[in-house]
Amino acid sequence: MDTFFIAHGSVKVTVDETFPVRSFLQSWKSDTMQETPKAILMVSGHWDTDAPTVNLVHGANDTIHDFTGFPELFYQLKYPAPGAPDVAMRVKELLDTSGFGPVKTEKARGLDHAVWVPLMLMYPEANIPVCELSVQTGRSAEYHYNLGKALAPLRDEGVLIIGSGHVAHNLKDRGPNDGPTPKWASDFDTWVKDSLLNGRYDEVNNCEKVPGYKMNHLKPDHLFPLHVALGAAGKGAKATLIHHSWTESVISYASYRFTAAQ
């Protein structure tokens, strides 16, 4: 099974038709992923922990409204997808045996909006089991790529691995949706695209050295899910750009598919 990196966007994506990424996510099952996965593992740009942590939920996942200042209707949204405790334990096993442990499990944590916002549009029935994996912003991009490599066996077990974040994500310098994208944002976004599409994964895994990295990522929490998804696709995987748009001048919605080498 292929792995993916998708841009999740604001919670407004769930209702606002002006977000270009909305139609991309809504057409997911028809245009991008016809095969129905056994379960979904989402690597979230909104869950940052010291050690890898996976939510291990029996029954339905709670919906975490991890945002402030929005109209009340957004706090009423629910995505009660079943948990995937067996997948969570498999994630823990794979990472522990690969030297990333001790991996923690969190039984009380539901799904944050980096997970449920896109899934609400991709799989609105909320009937596919979902578990969530954290990132470690105190570690490197290469660390997350290698962590993804350890998760690769899940692809053959029917688990869809998705990293959820943004390639360019500087909330401090947001502008109007129809405003120009500053050069520091477009240059970094283009560098990631060219590096991925041309298979320069070693460069992607050393992105911290690239000019514009710090400007686009005051914290790398939204970028590291990309590295996990890339690593999980395995050596020699091919990257494909499957969506690209911008909002608020500096938020990139570049989304990628990683197809394992045959």
Side-chain angles (χ1 to χ4, degrees), residues 19-162:
F19 280 83
V21 75
R22 179 178 164 83
S23 60
F24 161 68
L25 295 172
Q26 285 180 313
S27 64
W28 179 266
K29 289 192 290 184
S30 60
D31 296 350
T32 305
M33 185 72 188
Q34 289 80 27
E35 182 180 357
T36 301
K38 179 185 78 173
I40 300 171
L41 173 64
M42 295 282 279
V43 185
S44 171
H46 280 276
W47 193 13
D48 182 15
T49 58
D50 291 335
T53 308
V54 61
N55 76 329
L56 195 159
V57 174
H58 294 271
N61 278 292
D62 288 333
T63 303
I64 301 174
H65 299 92
D66 53 334
F67 43 82
T68 58
F70 286 85
E72 181 60 26
L73 73 93
F74 293 108
Y75 299 95
Q76 304 304 318
L77 295 174
K78 303 291 184 185
Y79 190 77
D86 292 345
V87 175
M89 288 305 298
R90 180 69 170 134
V91 169
K92 176 174 170 58
E93 174 192 19
L94 290 170
L95 295 182
D96 279 339
T97 57
S98 298
F100 291 93
V103 173
K104 299 178 182 179
T105 58
E106 178 57 71
K107 296 181 180 179
R109 193 180 197 279
L111 306 176
D112 61 54
H113 85 267
V115 176
W116 63 262
V117 164
L119 288 184
M120 186 172 281
L121 298 171
M122 297 159 68
Y123 297 102
E125 302 84 0
N127 58 2
I128 298 175
V130 180
C131 64
E132 180 176 338
L133 179 64
S134 66
V135 295
Q136 290 74 64
T137 55
R139 308 302 292 261
S140 67
E142 186 172 20
Y143 166 91
H144 286 84
Y145 175 80
N146 289 327
L147 186 147
K149 285 171 62 177
L151 298 173
L154 293 173
R155 293 188 294 104
D156 295 326
E157 299 168 14
V159 178
L160 175 60
I161 300 173
I162 301 175

Side-chain angles (χ1 to χ4, degrees), residues 241-252:
L241 181 67
I242 53 176
H243 175 78
H244 192 262
S245 59
W246 293 86
T247 65
E248 299 175 288
S249 303
V250 296
I251 309 298
S252 168

